[in-house]
Amino acid sequence: MTLKILLTDATERLTQATSSKGEAQAMVRMIMEHLKGYNPADCVIHSTDSVTPWLEHEVNMIVSRVEGGEPIQYVLGVARFMGNDFKVTHDTLIPRPETAMLVDMITDRNSQRTDLRVLDIGTGSGCIAISLAKALKFAQERATDISPAALEVARQNAAALKAGVTFALEDILSASAPVDAYDIIVSNPPYIAESEAETMESHVKDQEPASALFVPDSNPLLYYKAIAAYAIKALSPAGELYLEINPLFADELSAMLRESGFTEVELHPDFYGKTRFATAKKPANG
Ligand code: GLN
């Protein structure tokens, strides 16, 4: 069998599975990059090569798992975020492209600073903390998560990407805040209300860690309230808070941040036009 036939067959099966030819083609690109280090041009150059039984077996196994509903990133064990490959497992959320906007906002606003102390709460795969550590010069980065398994993945990612981040096991719901310890606190905490799960695709709700996705309907701001209470103490005067948020609760969230003592509370859209981020400042004299 030639490479061309193998990949045409894989693309067809993935198109059936995902109902999107574009997505299927993107997955085939990821699979070939992962298995052979081939870019799309290499696939064309090698299209008439006959494939090894190993490659045929691997491609078919990966395609079958995606057909079974597993996200391709979990099957390959890797997700791309801001130009870097991050290890992901079922213990970590798959980094989303929107989250890169949060990282960009922080680096754009702080490109002149060289001495920042940064905390990422609920780091998961470590994608935010590690991307920041690579982008900000001489920043001191700390990242916490409640999941030991996620922290292990984050540690491996930091080592592989040579990012200086200190990781710690911590539950934000019970953490006691240090005083004046950080200049920037960032978090993308769980924010999907359990009732929203009905409308979600199964490759998200049945595959990604529920503890990283969901909050009770009765208290959708659960983590944000804990983060705000922590951050208003732990931030330095004029320190900045950056949050990824649920558009459904944006107004409630900005009111809560103001009540907690933050100023300059601003909401920002993602590239789909959804209100996806909130930024706020601890008062300079606070
Ligand atoms: N901070 C991680 C991310 O942005 C994990 C987020 C989460 O698990 N809620 O991917």
Side-chain angles (χ1 to χ4, degrees), residues 92-96 99 120-128 145 187-191 209 211-213 244:
T92 66
L93 217 64
I94 297 166
R96 300 297 199 273
T99 304
D120 174 24
I121 299 171
T123 197
S125 64
C127 62
I128 296 176
D145 205 283
S187 186
N188 176 21
Y191 61 65
S211 63
L213 291 171
E244 186 165 327

Side-chain angles (χ1 to χ4, degrees), residues 73-74 76-80 84-90 92-95 124-127 130 149-150 152-158 160-161:
Q73 292 88 346
Y74 286 150
L76 302 180
V78 48
R80 205 146 174 89
N84 290 306
D85 282 340
F86 286 79
K87 174 178 173 170
V88 291
T89 69
H90 283 275
T92 66
L93 217 64
I94 297 166
S125 64
C127 62
I130 292 166
E152 181 49 35
V153 172
R155 280 199 181 97
Q156 289 178 21
N157 279 327
L161 296 168

Side-chain angles (χ1 to χ4, degrees), residues 5-257:
I5 292 173
L6 179 68
L7 298 188
T8 306
D9 179 51
T11 308
E12 268 167 29
R13 285 172 63 190
L14 292 168
T15 305
Q16 285 277 324
T18 61
S19 318
S20 158
K21 179 136 199 206
E23 213 174 306
Q25 287 167 332
M27 285 183 183
V28 169
R29 279 200 293 278
M30 288 166 77
I31 293 168
M32 287 311 289
E33 167 84 52
H34 184 77
L35 293 176
K36 295 282 290 177
Y38 281 4
N39 64 30
D42 295 326
C43 292
V44 174
I45 292 166
H46 292 281
S47 62
T48 55
D49 291 6
S50 37
V51 295
T52 60
W54 170 81
L55 186 67
E56 190 178 339
H57 174 266
E58 289 295 307
V59 170
N60 284 325
M61 192 225 9
I62 293 167
V63 171
S64 300
R65 283 176 65 182
V66 174
E67 285 175 331
E70 237 182 303
I72 183 89
Q73 292 88 346
Y74 286 150
V75 177
L76 302 180
V78 48
R80 205 146 174 89
F81 182 74
M82 302 194 81
N84 290 306
D85 282 340
F86 286 79
K87 174 178 173 170
V88 291
T89 69
H90 283 275
D91 295 305
T92 66
L93 217 64
I94 297 166
R96 300 297 199 273
E98 299 91 291
T99 304
M101 295 181 75
L102 192 63
V103 174
D104 280 339
M105 244 187 294
I106 297 172
T107 50
D108 287 351
R109 290 179 182 199
N110 293 282
S111 58
Q112 303 307 320
R113 305 274 306 266
T114 52
D115 52 352
L116 290 166
R117 298 164 301 165
V118 182
L119 172 66
D120 174 24
I121 299 171
T123 197
S125 64
C127 62
I128 296 176
I130 292 166
S131 301
L132 282 173
K134 294 187 79 70
L136 295 168
K137 288 194 194 80
F138 307 115
Q140 290 175 50
E141 293 263 354
R142 188 166 187 266
T144 61
D145 205 283
I146 193 184
S147 158
L151 277 181
E152 181 49 35
V153 172
R155 280 199 181 97
Q156 289 178 21
N157 279 327
L161 296 168
K162 298 186 172 52
V165 181
T166 308
F167 294 97
L169 188 68
E170 192 165 276
D171 178 1
I172 188 60
L173 299 181
S174 60
S176 61
V179 175
D180 190 2
Y182 301 103
D183 305 297
I184 290 176
I185 294 180
V186 57
S187 186
N188 176 21
Y191 61 65
I192 302 170
E194 274 157 359
S195 58
E196 285 180 77
E198 285 163 26
T199 60
M200 286 169 71
E201 293 174 280
S202 77
H203 68 80
V204 177
K205 72 173 175 213
D206 300 333
Q207 298 281 340
E208 298 197 72
S211 63
L213 291 171
F214 295 114
V215 280
D217 286 335
S218 58
N219 195 1
L221 297 187
L222 175 67
Y223 293 103
Y224 296 94
K225 288 177 189 161
I227 291 165
Y230 183 100
I232 203 73
K233 283 193 200 141
L235 280 170
S236 53
E240 299 169 355
L241 180 63
Y242 292 85
L243 301 170
E244 186 165 327
I245 65 166
N246 185 335
L248 291 177
F249 308 115
D251 292 334
E252 249 175 285
L253 179 104
S254 44
M256 184 277 290
L257 289 177

